[in-house]
Amino acid sequence: MGSWDGIDSFIAVCEAESFSGAAARLGVSTSHVSREVARLEDRLQVRLLYRTTRRVSVTDAGRAFLERCRRLVEERDEAFAAIIERDGAARGHLRLTCSIAYGERFIVPLVNRFLRDHPQLSVAIDLTNRLVDLVGEGFDLAVRTGASLDDSRLIAVRLATRRRYLCAAPAYLRRHGVPCSLEDLAHHACLTGTADLWHFSEGERLIDFRPAGPWRCNSGFAVLDAARQGLGICQLPDFYVEADMKAGTLVSLLDTARPPAEGIWAVYPHRRHLSPKVALLVEYLKLHVGRI
């Protein structure tokens, strides 16, 4: 048994909190991961993981061993990267995640243009509205909007900002009147999407409002269409509604209570030396996302 055998599997199991999740991340079978971890435990003569039918948890000894293994693997991978990518070119495979609507409309086209200039790079893009565990699921990079960063394993780089607008169609406002305050919104049909709360501000004070109404859908474009049809009031990011506001098919409301701009971030796992494939893509996104 080699010195490294089982270490990658052990780290993957700890981060995925399951053998099947670790196997999917490593591209091997669940039984292979289980055997490697068992052999590692036999070699160390200590239990690293508690296994039940429902979950996997790390023992105290396993937790101490995990931190050392992470440092070793990070240094190993950096050593390989320093040699393989010594010319600073973007090569290898890159895993990227982003929210569905923003990714489809903006990030994927930018990544596609980036790939034209870096033909030695392959990419897998996972568009999802769930908050992906970049470290546990083995992702290199995420593009996130508005989220605060509270994970010490991650680094965030601001790419641009976006604003949220409260909007309604002129036909709806003619029938139901124009809300003049946040209190008025309680008497209007609110078109709700994935967000349970709408955000506003009064001076420096941030205010959360819980919208209610007869219509809901987990698609921003569906919310936009319902607003265009005069079914109610929506709050959506700028990229959904700016063209309609310019055309007059939607009207911006309560502008003085508009919430502060949110950041659009490139988020990636902490590394002392960022790989060229990630560094180059982050710089490319910084250059272009703000111009969209």
Side-chain angles (χ1 to χ4, degrees):
M1 184 176 185
S3 300
W4 290 97
D5 290 350
I7 289 179
D8 290 286
S9 292
F10 169 64
I11 294 173
V13 171
C14 293
E15 293 178 344
E17 297 184 345
S18 74
F19 283 89
S20 59
R25 172 178 170 178
L26 297 173
V28 297
S29 67
T30 302
S31 60
H32 176 82
V33 172
S34 180
R35 284 195 302 270
E36 283 217 324
V37 173
R39 289 170 183 164
L40 183 61
E41 289 178 320
D42 288 342
R43 181 182 180 190
L44 297 172
Q45 291 295 293
V46 66
R47 182 177 291 278
L48 300 172
L49 301 170
Y50 292 120
R51 304 160 175 83
T52 69
T53 55
R54 293 191 176 184
R55 59 172 301 190
V56 175
S57 58
V58 188
T59 67
D60 289 341
R63 193 171 293 108
F65 187 59
L66 174 63
E67 293 310 311
R68 290 178 176 270
C69 286
R70 278 176 169 157
R71 291 195 295 270
L72 286 170
V73 168
E74 182 175 309
E75 291 182 1
R76 179 200 66 186
D77 291 347
E78 287 175 355
F80 277 109
I83 297 300
I84 295 172
E85 300 174 337
R86 60 189 180 275
D87 59 355
R91 56 166 57 88
H93 188 65
L94 186 146
R95 295 188 69 202
L96 168 72
T97 182
C98 184
S99 62
I100 296 171
Y102 192 76
E104 286 179 341
R105 189 162 180 181
F106 299 116
I107 299 304
V108 171
L110 286 177
V111 173
N112 291 342
R113 285 162 52 186
F114 178 78
L115 289 175
R116 288 187 311 189
D117 298 329
H118 300 279
Q120 298 181 78
L121 182 68
S122 64
V123 65
I125 305 173
D126 184 8
L127 298 182
T128 176
N129 291 331
R130 70 180 178 89
L131 187 63
V132 173
D133 179 357
L134 300 185
V135 175
E137 298 180 47
F139 279 86
D140 298 293
L141 181 68
V143 176
R144 293 178 177 169
T145 54
S148 59
L149 185 66
D150 55 3
D151 190 334
S152 61
R153 302 174 301 170
L154 304 177
I155 292 175
V157 176
R158 185 188 288 267
L159 303 175
T161 59
R162 71 173 189 182
R163 288 193 173 273
R164 290 184 175 272
Y165 289 88
L166 190 73
C167 298
Y172 174 86
L173 298 174
R174 286 195 296 270
R175 293 195 305 270
H176 301 282
V178 178
C180 297
S181 66
L182 296 182
E183 291 75 16
D184 288 347
L185 286 181
H187 307 292
H188 283 269
C190 296
L191 306 171
T192 53
T194 56
D196 292 324
L197 296 173
W198 289 355
H199 303 294
F200 299 94
S201 65
E202 287 185 354
E204 295 185 0
R205 186 167 67 100
L206 301 179
I207 300 172
D208 291 333
F209 172 81
R210 189 174 296 277
W215 192 98
R216 186 182 186 97
C217 182
N218 64 344
S219 164
F221 289 110
V223 173
L224 174 63
D225 185 71
R228 287 170 174 163
Q229 301 299 327
L231 298 182
I233 296 175
C234 69
Q235 188 184 63
L236 287 171
D238 47 20
F239 70 90
Y240 284 104
V241 298
E242 281 184 333
D244 283 272
M245 291 192 300
K246 185 176 181 179
T249 50
L250 290 178
V251 177
S252 179
L253 305 170
L254 300 180
D255 289 343
T256 57
R258 187 180 303 147
E262 302 172 323
I264 301 172
W265 305 89
V267 182
Y268 52 87
H270 182 272
R271 294 288 187 272
R272 283 176 299 172
H273 303 291
L274 191 60
S275 67
K277 65 184 179 183
V278 176
L280 289 171
L281 180 55
V282 169
E283 287 302 312
Y284 185 85
L285 294 175
K286 282 174 62 178
L287 181 63
H288 294 285
V289 168
R291 298 179 179 178
I292 295 173

